[in-house]
């Protein structure tokens, strides 16, 4: 459903994204991993149409996206296909708007429905992300970080996207909440058939969510393959370092520190 060819982004002399090429099948799940500044967000923003590429192309469902700024109608069409969820849901939610109203607004934006249809769809979205009426009546500040991220995911799903891009979407959450959101995303993928592009600096999370992983460093793809292959036998020195830094089960931070000191 997505083909990215020689995608490139320059900021003046600086090349933030350098000839990135990959494909994502319908209902597939791909993770992009790399340290901060490796070009992950810029790549995602170009795919979502929020940023114009300096070169290369993004083909969605067989159709090449027009380069340059999109018109309002094109933006809406693309939003139906590709939705993005960011690290900080609080920043993307209106603090004065109750969760249920925010979701109703998103549903109304993407679909022409009568009022009771909107209500039913909002209830469905809440259910899909494991929230209920209580949270629907709440303002974002009354919710936990994990609940807010569930709201952001529900709002993205209102568009019935074919691709959901999650950019460090669980990075700010506690580890146990991260695991819950990963489980939720797996279920959403199964239930709705949406493809996932999961962006993270944490290679450990990748095996729980994606089929394939693409490793970026300095704007370039240094490794790309099935998760089991890349994690099991990393080829590039950078990937080898990333894999070595994944905490092993049963290793407490203390024991790691002791080993590092030994
Ligand atoms: P990541 O998401 O992997 O942390 P980014 O895609 O955000 O990386 O950024 C890649 C590089 O591009 C960084 O060095 C960043 O400073 C630079 N960059 C991103 N956006 C801009 C911009 N609007 N202007 C100039 N440089 C930018
Ligand atoms: Mg980023």
């Amino acid at each position: 459903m997505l083909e990215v060819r020689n995608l490139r982004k320059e900021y003046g002399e600086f090349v933030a994204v350098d000839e990135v090429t990959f494909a994502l099948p319908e209902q597939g799940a791909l993770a992009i991993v790399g340290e901060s500044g490796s070009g992950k967000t810029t790549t995602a923003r170009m795919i979502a149409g929020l940023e114009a590429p300096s070169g290369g192309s993004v083909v969605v469902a067989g159709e090449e996206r027009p380069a340059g700024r999109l018109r309002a109608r094109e933006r809406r069409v693309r939003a139906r296909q590709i939705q993005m969820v960011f690290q900080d849901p609080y920043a993307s939610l209106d603090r004065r708007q109750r969760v249920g109203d925010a979701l109703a607004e998103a549903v109304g934006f993407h679909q022409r429905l009568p009022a009771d249809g909107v209500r039913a769809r909002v209830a469905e979205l809440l259910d899909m992300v494991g929230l209920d009426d209580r949270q629907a009546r709440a303002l974002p500040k009354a919710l936990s970080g994990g609940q807010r991220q569930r709201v952001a995911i529900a709002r993205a799903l209102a568009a019935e996207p074919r691709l959901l891009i999650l950019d460090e979407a669980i990075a700010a959450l506690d580890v146990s909440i991260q695991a819950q959101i990963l489980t939720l995303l797996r279920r959403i993928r199964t239930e709705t058939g949406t493809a996932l592009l999961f962006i993270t600096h944490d290679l450990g999370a990748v095996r729980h969510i994606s089929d394939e992983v693409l490793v970026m460093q300095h704007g370039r793809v240094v490794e790309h393959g099935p998760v089991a292959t890349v994690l099991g036998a990393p080829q590039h020195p950078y990937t080898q370092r990333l894999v070595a830094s994944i905490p092993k089960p049963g290793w407490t931070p203390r024991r790691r520190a002791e080993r590092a000191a030994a």
Side-chain angles (χ1 to χ4, degrees), residues 75-86:
R75 267 205 305 275
R76 194 183 291 225
V77 169
R78 189 179 293 198
R80 284 213 64 126
Q81 293 175 320
I82 302 179
Q83 283 281 310
M84 221 167 143
V85 175
F86 302 93

Side-chain angles (χ1 to χ4, degrees), residues 170-183 202 204-205 208 247 253:
I170 63 168
L173 304 173
D174 291 343
V175 174
S176 63
I177 309 295
Q178 289 190 3
Q180 288 172 15
I181 301 288
L182 288 174
T183 303
D202 173 12
H208 299 293

Side-chain angles (χ1 to χ4, degrees), residues 100 103-104 107 116-133 136:
L103 293 179
V107 168
D116 57 345
V118 171
R119 271 195 299 277
R121 179 71 180 135
V122 168
E124 195 176 83
L125 289 169
L126 286 165
D127 187 52
M128 217 181 264
V129 299
L131 297 176
D132 60 30
D133 259 1

